[in-house]
Structures are given as C-alpha cells and as structure tokens.
Amino acid sequence: MRSYAIRGTRMATASHRALEQLLPRYQASKDDWNTQQGRRLEVEIGCGAGESVLHYAQTRPDSLQIAFEVYPPVVASLLKRLQLAELPNVRVQMQDALVRLPELALPASLASIRVLYPDPWPKRRHHKRRLLDADFLLMARRLLAANGELLFATDWRKYYEQVVKLAQAGDWKIAATGDAARDDRPPTRFELRASKEGRASFNLLLRT
C-alpha cells in the first residue's frame, strides 16, 4: 500500500531534459550505500524541492545525503538546484523508499533518516496509508546505526501523537521535541504553508 497519492506529472521541456540529463549523474550507485566509504549516510524520504537536503549537504560536507522523491516534476526541480549548487555529496532516488530503502541500505548503516511533512492522510479511513507506522519504525531501527536518528515533522497533531505512541511502544529514545528537535534546517514549503494557514508544526527526534 502506497503512502503517497499519484498526482499530476505534466512537465515543461526543461524539466524533461533535467531528468534525462541530470538524474543519471545524481542517482545513487551501489557503492554510495557502502559504509566502508567512510561517509555518514543520511536519508531523507519525500525530500520535495530539497530545502533540507541542500542545507545538510552544505553544513555536513563529510556526509552523503540520499534523497528519495517519487514525483518527476519535483525531482526535476531538485536536480536543477543541485546542478546550480554544485554539491558533490547529494544523491537522488526517484523511487518508493518503502520498497527500495530496505533493499539498498545495509543493516545499521544509516546515521539518520528524515521524514519531513509526509502526506498526513487526515481521514480516519486513510490512516493506514500513513508512512510512519509500526512497520516503518521497525525498518528504521534495523537500518539505523547505534544512536542513529529519526527526525519527523508534521503539521498534524494527531499524526505526531500517533508516532510518539508508536515510538514509546517500540523502545525508541525520544531525544527531543518541538524547536529542540527542529535543528537549524530551513523551513520546507509545506512548513511555510502550514504557518501561513495558522497551523502549528510538530517536530520529533528519535534515537535508537
């Protein structure tokens, strides 16, 4: 069951060109997932336009930022931003992270996983589609290294409360909440939209 809905994917010619020319350049290779390379591996699921990916790539030059995003127009925009920024430590996976991440990442190999403003699926009958559930947290614990981090942000209080309960039941350490969990990352476009519409944001930092 997908945790996202397929939306319109119409793109301008420049976006098609960006996917064709830049995705092969930035797509992660098998070697990128090899922790023997001595790099800190950080994964972001649903990276959108890449605000936080670019931020962490710049502030953590010793890391490799691996960004999962499924929407072609958004990926095209991210690729163009990466080309302009000339950052060597970002890789892009235009694939479903729920399917590919367990196949690509070795157990205990990731330093952090970020999930910022995933689709909240607010209707009760759709809650089963939410990305962060008990199975996702089990997968994350298996892939994260000792003291690895899972950062979650949402503007839906009940989604946040649900994840807190699942984390407590799964024996995660709640390292920080609120502004302390937000770190110094720039706001995503969804965060800005929530603020403009008067909705508070909720941040949660979990550790293994």
Side-chain angles (χ1 to χ4, degrees), residues 9 21 44 101 127 133 154 158:
T9 57
Q21 297 179 355
E44 184 165 328
L101 183 56
H127 285 186
D133 59 11
T154 182
K158 290 190 179 297

PDB file of all heavy atoms in Angstrom, residues 9 21 44 101 127 133 154 158:
ATOM      1  N   THR A   9       1.653  14.851 -13.324  1.00  0.00           N
ATOM      2  CA  THR A   9       3.093  14.817 -13.582  1.00  0.00           C
ATOM      3  C   THR A   9       3.450  15.541 -14.881  1.00  0.00           C
ATOM      4  O   THR A   9       4.469  15.253 -15.489  1.00  0.00           O
ATOM      5  CB  THR A   9       3.592  13.369 -13.650  1.00  0.00           C
ATOM      6  OG1 THR A   9       2.855  12.660 -14.662  1.00  0.00           O
ATOM      7  CG2 THR A   9       3.427  12.665 -12.317  1.00  0.00           C
ATOM      8  N   GLN A  21      19.064  14.231 -18.391  1.00  0.00           N
ATOM      9  CA  GLN A  21      20.490  14.533 -18.362  1.00  0.00           C
ATOM     10  C   GLN A  21      21.106  14.471 -16.960  1.00  0.00           C
ATOM     11  O   GLN A  21      22.279  14.095 -16.817  1.00  0.00           O
ATOM     12  CB  GLN A  21      20.727  15.925 -18.969  1.00  0.00           C
ATOM     13  CG  GLN A  21      20.346  16.031 -20.431  1.00  0.00           C
ATOM     14  CD  GLN A  21      20.575  17.420 -20.991  1.00  0.00           C
ATOM     15  OE1 GLN A  21      20.947  18.353 -20.267  1.00  0.00           O
ATOM     16  NE2 GLN A  21      20.352  17.587 -22.287  1.00  0.00           N
ATOM     17  N   GLU A  44      16.739  11.138   3.344  1.00  0.00           N
ATOM     18  CA  GLU A  44      15.505  11.900   3.509  1.00  0.00           C
ATOM     19  C   GLU A  44      14.453  11.311   2.591  1.00  0.00           C
ATOM     20  O   GLU A  44      14.705  11.125   1.392  1.00  0.00           O
ATOM     21  CB  GLU A  44      15.705  13.384   3.206  1.00  0.00           C
ATOM     22  CG  GLU A  44      14.448  14.191   3.473  1.00  0.00           C
ATOM     23  CD  GLU A  44      14.709  15.688   3.537  1.00  0.00           C
ATOM     24  OE1 GLU A  44      15.803  16.100   3.961  1.00  0.00           O
ATOM     25  OE2 GLU A  44      13.789  16.454   3.153  1.00  0.00           O
ATOM     26  N   LEU A 101      14.440   1.359  -0.063  1.00  0.00           N
ATOM     27  CA  LEU A 101      15.385   1.610   1.026  1.00  0.00           C
ATOM     28  C   LEU A 101      15.816   0.330   1.732  1.00  0.00           C
ATOM     29  O   LEU A 101      17.016   0.117   1.956  1.00  0.00           O
ATOM     30  CB  LEU A 101      14.792   2.610   2.025  1.00  0.00           C
ATOM     31  CG  LEU A 101      15.711   3.025   3.179  1.00  0.00           C
ATOM     32  CD1 LEU A 101      17.022   3.596   2.665  1.00  0.00           C
ATOM     33  CD2 LEU A 101      15.000   4.047   4.072  1.00  0.00           C
ATOM     34  N   HIS A 127      -5.819   6.461   7.411  1.00  0.00           N
ATOM     35  CA  HIS A 127      -4.673   6.442   8.327  1.00  0.00           C
ATOM     36  C   HIS A 127      -3.724   5.281   8.034  1.00  0.00           C
ATOM     37  O   HIS A 127      -2.521   5.379   8.272  1.00  0.00           O
ATOM     38  CB  HIS A 127      -5.159   6.359   9.770  1.00  0.00           C
ATOM     39  CG  HIS A 127      -5.714   7.665  10.271  1.00  0.00           C
ATOM     40  ND1 HIS A 127      -6.091   7.858  11.589  1.00  0.00           N
ATOM     41  CD2 HIS A 127      -5.951   8.855   9.628  1.00  0.00           C
ATOM     42  CE1 HIS A 127      -6.544   9.096  11.732  1.00  0.00           C
ATOM     43  NE2 HIS A 127      -6.465   9.713  10.564  1.00  0.00           N
ATOM     44  N   ASP A 133       4.429   4.158  10.459  1.00  0.00           N
ATOM     45  CA  ASP A 133       3.620   3.232  11.238  1.00  0.00           C
ATOM     46  C   ASP A 133       4.568   2.278  11.955  1.00  0.00           C
ATOM     47  O   ASP A 133       5.794   2.452  11.929  1.00  0.00           O
ATOM     48  CB  ASP A 133       2.618   2.479  10.351  1.00  0.00           C
ATOM     49  CG  ASP A 133       3.292   1.682   9.236  1.00  0.00           C
ATOM     50  OD1 ASP A 133       4.536   1.522   9.259  1.00  0.00           O
ATOM     51  OD2 ASP A 133       2.581   1.207   8.339  1.00  0.00           O
ATOM     52  N   THR A 154       5.635  17.263  11.220  1.00  0.00           N
ATOM     53  CA  THR A 154       4.299  17.288  10.629  1.00  0.00           C
ATOM     54  C   THR A 154       3.532  18.479  11.187  1.00  0.00           C
ATOM     55  O   THR A 154       3.875  19.012  12.251  1.00  0.00           O
ATOM     56  CB  THR A 154       3.527  15.994  10.929  1.00  0.00           C
ATOM     57  OG1 THR A 154       2.240  16.046  10.293  1.00  0.00           O
ATOM     58  CG2 THR A 154       3.324  15.791  12.420  1.00  0.00           C
ATOM     59  N   LYS A 158      -2.447  14.980  15.551  1.00  0.00           N
ATOM     60  CA  LYS A 158      -2.803  13.587  15.815  1.00  0.00           C
ATOM     61  C   LYS A 158      -1.809  12.620  15.169  1.00  0.00           C
ATOM     62  O   LYS A 158      -1.549  11.547  15.706  1.00  0.00           O
ATOM     63  CB  LYS A 158      -4.238  13.309  15.358  1.00  0.00           C
ATOM     64  CG  LYS A 158      -5.290  14.002  16.221  1.00  0.00           C
ATOM     65  CD  LYS A 158      -6.686  13.526  15.892  1.00  0.00           C
ATOM     66  CE  LYS A 158      -7.711  14.225  16.788  1.00  0.00           C
ATOM     67  NZ  LYS A 158      -7.505  13.894  18.214  1.00  0.00           N
TER      68      LYS A 158
END
